[in-house]
Amino acid sequence: MSKSFDFLPHVKSREATKLLPWVMAIMVYLSALAATGSLLLHSGFDDWANSLQGRVTVQIIGEDRDLIHLQALEIKEVLRKTPGIRSVRIIPDDEITALLEPWLGVGNITDDLPIPMMLDVETDVDSYVNLEALEAKVKQVTDTVYLDDHARWLSHFYTLAYTIEYTALGILIMILLASISIVIFGTKSSMAEHKNIIEIMHLMGAHDQMIAQAYQKRFMQYGLKGGFYGLIIALLTVYGLLNLVQNIAGGLVEMPSLPYLKLSILLIFPFIFAALAMMTARITVLRELGRMV
Amino acid sequence: MVEFRNVSMSYDKGSDVLKDISFKLEPGSMHFLTGPSGAGKTSLLKLMYLAHRPSRGEIIMFGQDVSKASRTELPKLRRRIGVVFQDFRLLDHMSAVENVALPLRIAGGSGPQINEHVEELLRWVGLDDRMNANPSTLSGGEKQRVAIARAVIRRPDILLADEPTGNVDPEMGERLMYLFVELNKLGTTIVIATHDTGLVEKIGASKLHLEGGNLLHIEGTMNDFEEES
């Protein structure tokens, strides 16, 4: 094994690779944003899906408010006696109003607005509730009752979530591939720039490993330096965006809780990029040297 | 020590710049490589310092055919050869001391001992006050002396020099030749490519004469250069 020896010049202003730390910073920044977006959406989808799992919403439509109120009481009794149902609650009018106000505006929910009666049904997690059979049962009370276990739109939601997650993963892979390409290009440029030095090192008996070590060390430093700058800017961006979204979307959409533990994975991004740059530079140098005498 | 057997060499599959060269240099011998410009002197040296492989023939050095040596074998072989390049090939981002210390550092050396040794040699070639200067600030003669110091610092088995006295004054030229002769006496095989016929005659070592890529003749014996020096 050759002893490590940094023989490459440190004249930054003239080096072909002087912009590489900045490129790595941008790559880590984009990767961190893609990963954060994916993690936040994943966490948000999980929160929403968990809150809806084991719940069925019953909706009774009708213009006669008193009639649908009576039907709601009757349906509540029917459901309460049904096995596998843990609790049934008629959602009070003021709660429905509070849910609608962010969308329709305060004071716009008037008495003549045909707001349906709604029941929130909690099922046993371990039991299977046949929604069709249950709907048939409550339809004996009224035809204008509808049951929703959110499965249909949750499945759309999951499709969207997976699409976004795989897109983010695809973006990450593309960024990694772009980073590898840039490091290969940078390594080759640097080797061309320092061809004379490499030749002299060879002629004086330097092993390929010694030359590769000098390059891998330098490119690892570029990766680490750029990576940390990129990560810091990415974290500031995420913090700023979340604050902005919270201010704008407050009330309309429930913001997902920040998955701090999962987000801590971002801290290893600079190291991943540094290791990637190091390995790529090493392989590139050894391959290029292999073509020499 | 060095044996060429029907060696030919060409660049990028072009015409041969060296044609069917055969010779044998005994260990600890000293030789001048002469011939007009373009005769193939530098190409012959390139083969000897393992920068090129021959297109045909065998080159026996250190008891093996180095023309077929693998890449992993080459560094070890190259460390036994000292080279003074015609264009010096010093590393501009390193000082004179660092340039001369390079072969020792490549061989894994480190620490103050290296510097002591290097500084002593640089003082010997008259560069005591230029040790920390970068090559870009050195004159041609000073660069040449740094290049020679770098080539001899590890006491190589073979020393190859391409016009080593071309840029120095006659007095320094003789001083450097004295260094080569002393190294030769210590057992180093020396091959010097030169146009300086006066120097060749003065030292009188055996002469390999090249013309148009052909080795024409080998002649001469060592004069008593040491006594004159």
Side-chain angles (χ1 to χ4, degrees), chain A residues 39-41 43-44 47 242 246 254-260 263:
Chain A
L39 285 171
L40 274 177
L41 285 173
S43 168
D47 286 352
L242 280 177
Q246 261 167 349
E254 191 183 344
M255 287 301 293
S257 55
L258 271 177
Y260 288 108
L263 279 175

Side-chain angles (χ1 to χ4, degrees), chain A residues 2-3 5-11 196-197 199-208 210 289-290 292-293, chain B residues 49-53 71-72 74-75 78-79 81 85 89-91 93-94 102-103 105-106 108-110 150:
Chain A
S2 305
K3 212 169 177 180
F5 164 38
D6 188 6
F7 58 88
L8 293 169
H10 285 273
V11 192
N196 184 43
I197 297 172
E199 269 177 15
I200 290 293
M201 291 294 290
H202 260 157
L203 293 176
M204 283 192 280
H207 283 278
D208 289 354
M210 180 180 269
L289 292 179
M292 293 180 171
V293 175
Chain B
Y49 60 72
L50 311 178
H52 260 271
R53 292 185 194 266
R71 280 190 61 75
T72 48
L74 285 176
R78 282 168 175 158
R79 287 179 195 183
I81 304 167
F85 300 97
R89 303 190 76 173
L90 300 174
L91 304 190
H93 63 287
M94 292 183 182
L102 208 54
R105 295 201 65 189
I106 287 171
S110 56
R150 186 179 67 180

